[in-house]
C-alpha cells in the first residue's frame, strides 16, 4: 500500500536546526527522518526508520550469506564480565554505569565481546562445534563528551557487531577474510563509497585490524594513501626510520646563549644570528623540541611524560593515544592533554621553552650542565631520533640551548613512540610512494582479537586430540545508524537528499499537481499498480498543498524517482524526474508502469 503524504507522520522544516554543522544532520532533520530527543540521542521517524531498516536488511543478508547467525543481547549488562576482562576500568568515563535498587553495578553496553564469549562458553565444548559466526544488530551506548553532527557522534547508536569463534589462527584468517568480503559487498549494495585502511586495535586488542572509511570532508578520521596502494588510518602509519649515523668523529655538544628563543621559529632565527653554521642556515628540522604532555588516568590521576620530536613536526595527540598506554604501562586508553603550568611546575628543573633531554636521561651530556639529576619523567622519542643524529635543543636553563647534541651518545630514552602528525609527502612505510592525507568517516572496523577475551573468560574447547585449547576470536562491527548519516552526507544536492535506490524510503515519489479530479484518479491508479508490481511508492495526495510546496518537499525528502501527474495529462503524458541521474523526461501514461518498474530494477541490479 502506498505511503500517503496526507496521512504520513511527517513535518518538513524550511530552516536548518540551530545546532547542525554538517549536511546530513541538517537534511535528516529538515526532511523529517529524525528528531533530537536529547544531546546525542535521536528519535527515528517513519521515513528514517524505513531507511535504517533497509540498511539493516542488507547487512543481515550479507552476514547470513557467510554463515552468520543472529542473536540479540540486552543492552543493560552486569559489571562482572567486563571486570574480568579489565574493561570496566579501562573504559574510564566513556561508558554509562549505573546501579540497580540492590546496589549491584551495571553498564549500558558500548560493545558485547564479553557476552558473546560467555554465550559460546555456555554452549560449546568441542572443536567439532566450531567455527561459529554470531552477530547482532543492537543499540550501543557511550558517554560521548561532546555529541555533535547529528547521527555521526552520538551517545546512543545502532551497530551490527559480529564475532567469529575458531579453534586456531588458520580458522581466524578464514573468518576475517569472509567478513572483509561481506563488508565490501554491504557497502557496494548500500551505494556508499568506502576504502579499507590499516588501523590500530586500541582497547579491543588483537593483531590484524582494518577500518572501512567513507571519504568525506565531514569525516572525523584522517587516513593516508599512496600511489602504490598503501592505505592506513594515520594512527596506524609507521614512520620510515632513517639509518643510524656513525658519530665517532662528531664534536662534543656545546651550550650556547639563545636569548628569547622559547619557540622553534625564534630558536632558528637566534641560531642563525648568534651561532651560524659553516654551510647553510639552521632549519627547524635540525632542532629537537621536548613536548611535555599528561596522560589522564582513571580517577583523574595525571601522569606526566615528555616526547621529543623534530622541531618541524607537530605532535599528533590521536597517534599518541593509540600507543601511549602500552608505552607507559597503564590500563585502558588514557586521554592525552598538553601539560599545564601546574603540571610543569610540580617537577623542578623543567624550564618551559628550554626543556631538553639531558635533564630527562642519564646520558653523558649531563656533564655539560654540571648536574647528575634526573626528573624520573618518562621520556620518549619520535622514530626519526636515531642514534648518531645531531640536534639543537633546550639546555634546561633559561635562554640556553645545546648545539650538536648526539642521540645515543649524549642522551638516551625510555622508548620510541609514534608521536608526530603524518604529512602529505611523507614516504609510505611499504615504499609505495609519497602519502596523501584525506578525511573519512569510520563505517566499519574488523579485528583479529585472538585469545584475549577467551583467556580472560576461560573459553576453551577440546581439540581433536582431547586437549583443551583456548578459542580464537575475531570481532567485526558496522555502524548502522552512522551508515544512514554517511549516505545522506554523500547523496544530496542543494535542494535536498538523493537516496540510492536500495535504501530509499520509497522508490518513486508520485506528485499530483492541480485540482482536476482526473489527475488524482490517475495518480492513485498508477500508485496502486506500481505497488502491486513491487515498486514502493510515496504518493503526495494532498489536495490543498500548492505545487511548489509539493515539489520542494519531494526534493528535500530525496526519493530517487519523481513522477509528476499534472497538466501534461491532458496530452497523455507524465513527467519523470530521475534525481540520481539528474534527468527529466516525458513518458506516455500507458507506458509509465513498465518504464518505472524497469528503471527501479536496473538501479537495484546495478547496486547488487
Amino acid at each position: 500500500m502506498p505511503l500517503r503524504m496526507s496521512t504520513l507522520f511527517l513535518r518538513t522544516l524550511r530552516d536548518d536546526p540551530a545546532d547542525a554543522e554538517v549536511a546530513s544532520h541538517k537534511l535528516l532533520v529538515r526532511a523529517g527522518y529524525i528528531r533530537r530527543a536529547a544531546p546525542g540521542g535521536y528519535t527515528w521517524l517513519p521515513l528514517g526508520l524505513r531507511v535504517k531498516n533497509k540498511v539493516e536488511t542488507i547487512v543481515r543478508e550479507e552476514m547470513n550469506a557467510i554463515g552468520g547467525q543472529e542473536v540479540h543481547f540486552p543492552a543493560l549488562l552486569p559489571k562482572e564480565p567486563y571486570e574480568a576482562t579489565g574493561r570496566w576500568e579501562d573504559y574510564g568515563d566513556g561508558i554509562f554505569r549505573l546501579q540497580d535498587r540492590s546496589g549491584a553495578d551495571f553498564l549500558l553496553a558500548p560493545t558485547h565481546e564479553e557476552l558473546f564469549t560467555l554465550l559460546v562458553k555456555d554452549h560449546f565444548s568441542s572443536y567439532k562445534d566450531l567455527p561459529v559466526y554470531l552477530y547482532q544488530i543492537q543499540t550501543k551506548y557511550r558517554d560521548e563528551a561532546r555529541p555533535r553532527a547529528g547521527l555521526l557522534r552520538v551517545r546512543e547508536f545502532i551497530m551490527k557487531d559480529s564475532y567469529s569463534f575458531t579453534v586456531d589462527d588458520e580458522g581466524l584468517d578464514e573468518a576475517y577474510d569472509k567478513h572483509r568480503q561481506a563488508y565490501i559487498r554491504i557497502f557496494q549494495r548500500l551505494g556508499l563509497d568506502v576504502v579499507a585502511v590499516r588501523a590500530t586495535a586500541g582497547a579491543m586488542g588483537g593483531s590484524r585490524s582494518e577500518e572501512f572509511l567513507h571519504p568525506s570532508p565531514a569525516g572525523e578520521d584522517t587516513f593516508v594513501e599512496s600511489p602504490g596502494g598503501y592505505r592506513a588510518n594515520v594512527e596506524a602509519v609507521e614512520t620510515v626510520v632513517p639509518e643510524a649515523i656513525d658519530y665517532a668523529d662528531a664534536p662534543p655538544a656545546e651550550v650556547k646563549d639563545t636569548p628569547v628563543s622559547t619557540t622553534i621559529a625564534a630558536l632558528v632565527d637566534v641560531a642563525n644570528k648568534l651561532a651560524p653554521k659553516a654551510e647553510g642556515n639552521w632549519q627547524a628540522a635540525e632542532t629537537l623540541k621536548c613536548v611535555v604532555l599528561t596522560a589522564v588516568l582513571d580517577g583523574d590521576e595525571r601522569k606526566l611524560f615528555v616526547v621529543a620530536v623534530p622541531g618541524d613536526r607537530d605532535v599528533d595527540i590521536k597517534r599518541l593515544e593509540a600507543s601511549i598506554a602500552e608505552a607507559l604501562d597503564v590500563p585502558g586508553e588514557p586521554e592525552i592533554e598538553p601539560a599545564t603550568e601546574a603540571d610543569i611546575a610540580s617537577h623542578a628543573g623543567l624550564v618551559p621553552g628550554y626543556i631538553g633531554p639531558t635533564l630527562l636521561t642519564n646520558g653523558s651530556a649531563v656533564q655539560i650542565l654540571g648536574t647528575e639529576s634526573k626528573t624520573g619523567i618518562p621520556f620518549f622519542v619520535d622514530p626519526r631520533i636515531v642514534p648518531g643524529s645531531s640536534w639543537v635543543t633546550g639546555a634546561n636553563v633559561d635562554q640556553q640551548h645545546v648545539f650538536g647534541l648526539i642521540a645515543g651518545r649524549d642522551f638516551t630514552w625510555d622508548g620510541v613512540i609514534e608521536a608526530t602528525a603524518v604529512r602529505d609527502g611523507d614516504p609510505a612505510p611499504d615504499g609505495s610512494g609519497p602519502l596523501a592525507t584525506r578525511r573519512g568517516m569510520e563505517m566499519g572496523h574488523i579485528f583479529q582479537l585472538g585469545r584475549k577475551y577467551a583467556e580472560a573468560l576461560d573459553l576453551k574447547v577440546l581439540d581433536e586430540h582431547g586437549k583443551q585449547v583456548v578459542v580464537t576470536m575475531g570481532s567485526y562491527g558496522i555502524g548502522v545508524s552512522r551508515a544512514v548519516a554517511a549516505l545522506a552526507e554523500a547523496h544530496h544536492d542543494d535542494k535536498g537528499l538523493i537516496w540510492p535506490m536500495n535504501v530509499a524510503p520509497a522508490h518513486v515519489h508520485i506528485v499530483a499537481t492541480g485540482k482536476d479530479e482526473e489527475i488524482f484518479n490517475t495518480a492513485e491508479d498508477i500508485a496502486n499498480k506500481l505497488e502491486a508490481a513491487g515498486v514502493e511508492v510515496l504518493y503526495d495526495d494532498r489536495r490543498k498543498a500548492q505545487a511548489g510546496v509539493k515539489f520542494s518537499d519531494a526534493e528535500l525528502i530525496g526519493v530517487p524517482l519523481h513522477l509528476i501527474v499534472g497538466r501534461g495529462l491532458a496530452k497523455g503524458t507524465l513527467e519523470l524526474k530521475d534525481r540520481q541521474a539528474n534527468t527529466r523526461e516525458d513518458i506516455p501514461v500507458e507506458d509509465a508502469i513498465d518504464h518505472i518498474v524497469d528503471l527501479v530494477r536496473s538501479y537495484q541490479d546495478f547496486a547488487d
Side-chain angles (χ1 to χ4, degrees), residues 286-335:
E286 298 172 280
T287 67
L288 189 69
K289 59 183 175 185
C290 293
V291 183
V292 188
L293 299 158
T294 301
V296 182
L297 310 179
D298 288 344
D300 293 329
E301 177 188 353
R302 300 175 67 82
K303 186 174 182 64
L304 221 62
F305 66 98
V306 176
V307 177
V309 301
D312 64 332
R313 294 273 172 172
D314 293 323
V315 168
D316 186 324
I317 296 295
K318 289 190 70 175
R319 273 166 62 78
L320 271 175
E321 286 180 337
S323 54
I324 194 61
E326 181 178 357
L328 291 175
D329 192 24
V330 295
E333 292 183 291
E335 183 178 351

Short mmCIF file of all heavy atoms in Angstrom, two decimals, residues 286-335:
data_model
loop_
_atom_site.label_atom_id
_atom_site.label_comp_id
_atom_site.label_asym_id
_atom_site.label_seq_id
_atom_site.Cartn_x
_atom_site.Cartn_y
_atom_site.Cartn_z
N GLU A 286 66.34 20.56 12.18
CA GLU A 286 67.56 20.22 12.92
C GLU A 286 67.42 20.46 14.41
O GLU A 286 68.33 20.17 15.18
CB GLU A 286 68.73 21.04 12.39
CG GLU A 286 69.04 20.79 10.92
CD GLU A 286 70.07 21.76 10.38
OE1 GLU A 286 69.69 22.91 10.06
OE2 GLU A 286 71.26 21.38 10.31
N THR A 287 66.29 20.99 14.81
CA THR A 287 66.06 21.24 16.23
C THR A 287 65.23 20.10 16.83
O THR A 287 64.53 19.38 16.12
CB THR A 287 65.31 22.57 16.45
OG1 THR A 287 63.98 22.46 15.92
CG2 THR A 287 66.04 23.71 15.77
N LEU A 288 65.33 19.98 18.13
CA LEU A 288 64.59 18.94 18.84
C LEU A 288 63.75 19.61 19.91
O LEU A 288 64.28 20.27 20.81
CB LEU A 288 65.57 17.96 19.49
CG LEU A 288 64.97 16.70 20.10
CD1 LEU A 288 64.45 15.78 19.02
CD2 LEU A 288 66.04 15.97 20.94
N LYS A 289 62.43 19.47 19.79
CA LYS A 289 61.59 20.06 20.82
C LYS A 289 61.05 18.96 21.73
O LYS A 289 60.64 17.89 21.27
CB LYS A 289 60.44 20.88 20.22
CG LYS A 289 59.48 20.15 19.30
CD LYS A 289 58.46 21.15 18.75
CE LYS A 289 57.55 20.49 17.72
NZ LYS A 289 56.64 21.47 17.09
N CYS A 290 61.12 19.22 23.01
CA CYS A 290 60.66 18.28 24.02
C CYS A 290 59.30 18.74 24.52
O CYS A 290 59.20 19.76 25.22
CB CYS A 290 61.66 18.18 25.16
SG CYS A 290 63.24 17.45 24.67
N VAL A 291 58.26 18.01 24.15
CA VAL A 291 56.88 18.40 24.44
C VAL A 291 56.42 17.68 25.71
O VAL A 291 56.49 16.45 25.80
CB VAL A 291 55.95 18.05 23.27
CG1 VAL A 291 54.53 18.53 23.55
CG2 VAL A 291 56.48 18.66 21.97
N VAL A 292 55.99 18.45 26.69
CA VAL A 292 55.52 17.88 27.95
C VAL A 292 54.02 17.65 27.86
O VAL A 292 53.25 18.58 27.58
CB VAL A 292 55.85 18.81 29.13
CG1 VAL A 292 55.53 18.11 30.45
CG2 VAL A 292 57.31 19.25 29.10
N LEU A 293 53.62 16.41 28.12
CA LEU A 293 52.22 16.02 27.99
C LEU A 293 51.77 15.30 29.25
O LEU A 293 52.59 14.87 30.07
CB LEU A 293 52.03 15.11 26.78
CG LEU A 293 52.40 15.74 25.43
CD1 LEU A 293 52.69 14.67 24.40
CD2 LEU A 293 51.28 16.66 24.95
N THR A 294 50.45 15.16 29.37
CA THR A 294 49.88 14.48 30.54
C THR A 294 48.90 13.41 30.07
O THR A 294 48.03 13.68 29.24
CB THR A 294 49.14 15.48 31.45
OG1 THR A 294 50.05 16.49 31.88
CG2 THR A 294 48.57 14.77 32.66
N ALA A 295 49.06 12.21 30.60
CA ALA A 295 48.08 11.15 30.39
C ALA A 295 47.12 11.17 31.57
O ALA A 295 47.54 11.04 32.72
CB ALA A 295 48.77 9.79 30.28
N VAL A 296 45.83 11.36 31.27
CA VAL A 296 44.82 11.41 32.33
C VAL A 296 44.31 9.98 32.55
O VAL A 296 43.66 9.40 31.68
CB VAL A 296 43.67 12.35 31.96
CG1 VAL A 296 42.66 12.42 33.11
CG2 VAL A 296 44.20 13.74 31.63
N LEU A 297 44.58 9.43 33.72
CA LEU A 297 44.23 8.05 34.04
C LEU A 297 42.93 8.01 34.83
O LEU A 297 42.31 9.05 35.13
CB LEU A 297 45.37 7.39 34.83
CG LEU A 297 46.78 7.53 34.24
CD1 LEU A 297 47.78 6.85 35.14
CD2 LEU A 297 46.84 6.96 32.83
N ASP A 298 42.49 6.80 35.17
CA ASP A 298 41.29 6.66 35.99
C ASP A 298 41.45 7.41 37.29
O ASP A 298 42.54 7.47 37.87
CB ASP A 298 41.02 5.18 36.29
CG ASP A 298 40.52 4.43 35.05
OD1 ASP A 298 40.12 5.10 34.09
OD2 ASP A 298 40.54 3.19 35.07
N GLY A 299 40.35 7.97 37.75
CA GLY A 299 40.39 8.73 38.99
C GLY A 299 41.03 10.08 38.81
O GLY A 299 41.44 10.72 39.78
N ASP A 300 41.15 10.53 37.56
CA ASP A 300 41.74 11.84 37.23
C ASP A 300 43.20 11.94 37.63
O ASP A 300 43.74 13.05 37.79
CB ASP A 300 40.95 12.98 37.87
CG ASP A 300 39.55 13.12 37.29
OD1 ASP A 300 39.39 12.79 36.09
OD2 ASP A 300 38.63 13.51 38.01
N GLU A 301 43.88 10.80 37.82
CA GLU A 301 45.33 10.84 38.06
C GLU A 301 46.03 11.34 36.81
O GLU A 301 45.69 10.94 35.69
CB GLU A 301 45.84 9.43 38.40
CG GLU A 301 47.36 9.38 38.59
CD GLU A 301 47.88 7.97 38.73
OE1 GLU A 301 47.05 7.03 38.81
OE2 GLU A 301 49.11 7.78 38.75
N ARG A 302 47.00 12.20 36.99
CA ARG A 302 47.71 12.80 35.86
C ARG A 302 49.16 12.30 35.86
O ARG A 302 49.88 12.47 36.84
CB ARG A 302 47.68 14.33 35.94
CG ARG A 302 46.27 14.90 35.91
CD ARG A 302 46.26 16.40 36.11
NE ARG A 302 46.86 17.12 35.00
CZ ARG A 302 46.22 17.40 33.85
NH1 ARG A 302 44.96 17.02 33.69
NH2 ARG A 302 46.83 18.05 32.89
N LYS A 303 49.54 11.65 34.77
CA LYS A 303 50.90 11.11 34.66
C LYS A 303 51.64 11.88 33.58
O LYS A 303 51.29 11.84 32.41
CB LYS A 303 50.86 9.61 34.32
CG LYS A 303 52.24 8.95 34.35
CD LYS A 303 52.13 7.46 34.15
CE LYS A 303 53.50 6.78 34.21
NZ LYS A 303 54.13 6.91 35.54
N LEU A 304 52.69 12.57 33.99
CA LEU A 304 53.46 13.41 33.07
C LEU A 304 54.43 12.56 32.27
O LEU A 304 55.00 11.60 32.77
CB LEU A 304 54.24 14.45 33.88
CG LEU A 304 54.32 15.87 33.32
CD1 LEU A 304 52.94 16.48 33.22
CD2 LEU A 304 55.22 16.74 34.20
N PHE A 305 54.62 12.92 31.01
CA PHE A 305 55.66 12.32 30.19
C PHE A 305 56.11 13.34 29.15
O PHE A 305 55.45 14.36 28.92
CB PHE A 305 55.19 11.02 29.53
CG PHE A 305 54.10 11.19 28.50
CD1 PHE A 305 54.39 11.24 27.14
CD2 PHE A 305 52.77 11.29 28.89
CE1 PHE A 305 53.39 11.38 26.20
CE2 PHE A 305 51.76 11.43 27.94
CZ PHE A 305 52.07 11.47 26.59
N VAL A 306 57.28 13.09 28.56
CA VAL A 306 57.85 14.00 27.58
C VAL A 306 58.14 13.23 26.30
O VAL A 306 58.61 12.10 26.32
CB VAL A 306 59.15 14.64 28.12
CG1 VAL A 306 59.80 15.53 27.05
CG2 VAL A 306 58.86 15.46 29.36
N VAL A 307 57.81 13.88 25.18
CA VAL A 307 58.10 13.30 23.87
C VAL A 307 58.98 14.29 23.10
O VAL A 307 58.64 15.48 22.99
CB VAL A 307 56.82 13.03 23.07
CG1 VAL A 307 57.16 12.51 21.68
CG2 VAL A 307 55.94 12.02 23.79
N ALA A 308 60.11 13.78 22.59
CA ALA A 308 61.00 14.61 21.77
C ALA A 308 60.71 14.35 20.30
O ALA A 308 60.69 13.20 19.85
CB ALA A 308 62.45 14.28 22.09
N VAL A 309 60.48 15.44 19.56
CA VAL A 309 60.18 15.33 18.13
C VAL A 309 60.99 16.38 17.37
O VAL A 309 61.37 17.41 17.93
CB VAL A 309 58.67 15.55 17.87
CG1 VAL A 309 57.84 14.53 18.63
CG2 VAL A 309 58.24 16.97 18.23
N PRO A 310 61.25 16.14 16.08
CA PRO A 310 61.93 17.18 15.29
C PRO A 310 61.14 18.48 15.32
O PRO A 310 59.90 18.48 15.31
CB PRO A 310 61.97 16.57 13.88
CG PRO A 310 61.92 15.09 14.11
CD PRO A 310 61.03 14.91 15.30
N GLY A 311 61.85 19.60 15.35
CA GLY A 311 61.21 20.89 15.51
C GLY A 311 60.26 21.29 14.40
O GLY A 311 59.41 22.16 14.61
N ASP A 312 60.37 20.66 13.22
CA ASP A 312 59.47 21.00 12.13
C ASP A 312 58.22 20.13 12.13
O ASP A 312 57.41 20.20 11.20
CB ASP A 312 60.19 20.86 10.78
CG ASP A 312 60.60 19.43 10.49
OD1 ASP A 312 60.83 18.67 11.44
OD2 ASP A 312 60.70 19.08 9.28
N ARG A 313 58.05 19.32 13.15
CA ARG A 313 56.92 18.40 13.24
C ARG A 313 56.01 18.76 14.40
O ARG A 313 56.47 19.23 15.44
CB ARG A 313 57.42 16.96 13.43
CG ARG A 313 58.17 16.39 12.25
CD ARG A 313 57.22 15.77 11.27
NE ARG A 313 57.88 15.37 10.03
CZ ARG A 313 57.29 14.67 9.08
NH1 ARG A 313 56.03 14.29 9.21
NH2 ARG A 313 57.93 14.37 7.97
N ASP A 314 54.70 18.52 14.22
CA ASP A 314 53.73 18.73 15.28
C ASP A 314 53.37 17.40 15.92
O ASP A 314 53.28 16.37 15.25
CB ASP A 314 52.45 19.38 14.73
CG ASP A 314 52.70 20.80 14.23
OD1 ASP A 314 53.50 21.50 14.86
OD2 ASP A 314 52.09 21.18 13.21
N VAL A 315 53.13 17.43 17.21
CA VAL A 315 52.68 16.23 17.92
C VAL A 315 51.22 15.95 17.54
O VAL A 315 50.39 16.86 17.47
CB VAL A 315 52.81 16.42 19.44
CG1 VAL A 315 52.06 15.31 20.19
CG2 VAL A 315 54.27 16.44 19.85
N ASP A 316 50.94 14.68 17.27
CA ASP A 316 49.57 14.24 16.95
C ASP A 316 49.03 13.49 18.17
O ASP A 316 49.45 12.38 18.46
CB ASP A 316 49.59 13.33 15.71
CG ASP A 316 48.19 12.97 15.24
OD1 ASP A 316 47.30 12.79 16.09
OD2 ASP A 316 47.98 12.85 14.02
N ILE A 317 48.09 14.13 18.87
CA ILE A 317 47.56 13.55 20.11
C ILE A 317 46.89 12.20 19.85
O ILE A 317 47.05 11.24 20.62
CB ILE A 317 46.55 14.51 20.77
CG1 ILE A 317 47.25 15.80 21.21
CG2 ILE A 317 45.86 13.84 21.95
CD1 ILE A 317 48.28 15.61 22.29
N LYS A 318 46.14 12.08 18.74
CA LYS A 318 45.44 10.82 18.47
C LYS A 318 46.42 9.68 18.22
O LYS A 318 46.19 8.55 18.64
CB LYS A 318 44.50 10.98 17.27
CG LYS A 318 43.29 11.84 17.54
CD LYS A 318 42.29 11.77 16.41
CE LYS A 318 41.62 10.40 16.33
NZ LYS A 318 40.55 10.36 15.30
N ARG A 319 47.51 9.96 17.52
CA ARG A 319 48.52 8.92 17.30
C ARG A 319 49.16 8.50 18.63
O ARG A 319 49.43 7.32 18.86
CB ARG A 319 49.58 9.40 16.31
CG ARG A 319 49.16 9.14 14.87
CD ARG A 319 50.00 9.89 13.86
NE ARG A 319 51.42 9.56 13.84
CZ ARG A 319 51.96 8.47 13.28
NH1 ARG A 319 51.17 7.55 12.72
NH2 ARG A 319 53.26 8.28 13.26
N LEU A 320 49.41 9.47 19.48
CA LEU A 320 49.95 9.15 20.80
C LEU A 320 48.97 8.31 21.62
O LEU A 320 49.36 7.34 22.28
CB LEU A 320 50.28 10.43 21.55
CG LEU A 320 51.67 11.03 21.35
CD1 LEU A 320 51.78 12.36 22.07
CD2 LEU A 320 52.76 10.09 21.84
N GLU A 321 47.69 8.68 21.58
CA GLU A 321 46.71 7.97 22.38
C GLU A 321 46.57 6.51 21.96
O GLU A 321 46.18 5.66 22.75
CB GLU A 321 45.35 8.68 22.30
CG GLU A 321 45.30 9.97 23.09
CD GLU A 321 43.97 10.67 23.01
OE1 GLU A 321 43.22 10.43 22.03
OE2 GLU A 321 43.66 11.47 23.91
N ALA A 322 46.91 6.23 20.69
CA ALA A 322 46.79 4.86 20.20
C ALA A 322 47.83 3.93 20.81
O ALA A 322 47.64 2.71 20.82
CB ALA A 322 46.90 4.84 18.68
N SER A 323 48.93 4.48 21.34
CA SER A 323 50.00 3.60 21.82
C SER A 323 50.57 3.99 23.18
O SER A 323 51.43 3.28 23.71
CB SER A 323 51.15 3.60 20.79
OG SER A 323 51.59 4.92 20.51
N ILE A 324 50.08 5.06 23.76
CA ILE A 324 50.72 5.54 24.99
C ILE A 324 50.46 4.63 26.18
O ILE A 324 51.29 4.52 27.09
CB ILE A 324 50.26 6.99 25.32
CG1 ILE A 324 51.17 7.61 26.38
CG2 ILE A 324 48.81 7.00 25.77
CD1 ILE A 324 52.61 7.72 25.98
N ALA A 325 49.32 3.93 26.20
CA ALA A 325 49.02 3.05 27.34
C ALA A 325 50.08 1.97 27.47
O ALA A 325 50.57 1.69 28.57
CB ALA A 325 47.63 2.42 27.18
N GLU A 326 50.45 1.37 26.35
CA GLU A 326 51.49 0.34 26.38
C GLU A 326 52.84 0.94 26.75
O GLU A 326 53.60 0.35 27.53
CB GLU A 326 51.57 -0.35 25.03
CG GLU A 326 52.61 -1.46 24.97
CD GLU A 326 52.64 -2.16 23.63
OE1 GLU A 326 51.82 -1.82 22.75
OE2 GLU A 326 53.51 -3.03 23.43
N ALA A 327 53.14 2.14 26.21
CA ALA A 327 54.43 2.76 26.50
C ALA A 327 54.57 3.11 27.97
O ALA A 327 55.63 2.94 28.57
CB ALA A 327 54.60 4.02 25.64
N LEU A 328 53.49 3.59 28.58
CA LEU A 328 53.53 3.97 29.99
C LEU A 328 53.19 2.81 30.92
O LEU A 328 53.30 2.95 32.14
CB LEU A 328 52.54 5.12 30.25
CG LEU A 328 52.87 6.48 29.64
CD1 LEU A 328 51.73 7.46 29.89
CD2 LEU A 328 54.17 7.03 30.21
N ASP A 329 52.75 1.69 30.34
CA ASP A 329 52.35 0.52 31.12
C ASP A 329 51.23 0.88 32.08
O ASP A 329 51.30 0.63 33.29
CB ASP A 329 53.54 -0.07 31.88
CG ASP A 329 53.22 -1.45 32.47
OD1 ASP A 329 52.32 -2.11 31.92
OD2 ASP A 329 53.87 -1.84 33.45
N VAL A 330 50.16 1.49 31.50
CA VAL A 330 48.98 1.83 32.29
C VAL A 330 47.76 1.22 31.61
O VAL A 330 47.78 0.94 30.41
CB VAL A 330 48.81 3.37 32.41
CG1 VAL A 330 49.97 3.97 33.19
CG2 VAL A 330 48.69 4.02 31.04
N PRO A 331 46.67 0.99 32.33
CA PRO A 331 45.49 0.36 31.74
C PRO A 331 44.69 1.31 30.87
O PRO A 331 44.79 2.53 31.00
CB PRO A 331 44.68 -0.07 32.97
CG PRO A 331 45.06 0.92 34.02
CD PRO A 331 46.52 1.22 33.78
N GLY A 332 43.88 0.71 29.98
CA GLY A 332 42.92 1.48 29.18
C GLY A 332 43.56 2.31 28.10
O GLY A 332 44.66 2.05 27.63
N GLU A 333 42.83 3.35 27.71
CA GLU A 333 43.27 4.29 26.69
C GLU A 333 43.25 5.69 27.29
O GLU A 333 42.26 6.41 27.17
CB GLU A 333 42.37 4.22 25.46
CG GLU A 333 42.48 2.92 24.68
CD GLU A 333 41.62 2.94 23.43
OE1 GLU A 333 40.38 2.94 23.57
OE2 GLU A 333 42.17 2.97 22.33
N PRO A 334 44.33 6.10 27.97
CA PRO A 334 44.33 7.40 28.63
C PRO A 334 44.12 8.54 27.63
O PRO A 334 44.58 8.48 26.49
CB PRO A 334 45.73 7.48 29.25
CG PRO A 334 46.24 6.08 29.28
CD PRO A 334 45.61 5.38 28.12
N GLU A 335 43.44 9.56 28.08
CA GLU A 335 43.30 10.78 27.29
C GLU A 335 44.57 11.60 27.47
O GLU A 335 45.08 11.76 28.57
CB GLU A 335 42.09 11.56 27.76
CG GLU A 335 41.82 12.82 26.95
CD GLU A 335 40.58 13.56 27.39
OE1 GLU A 335 39.82 12.99 28.21
OE2 GLU A 335 40.36 14.69 26.94
#
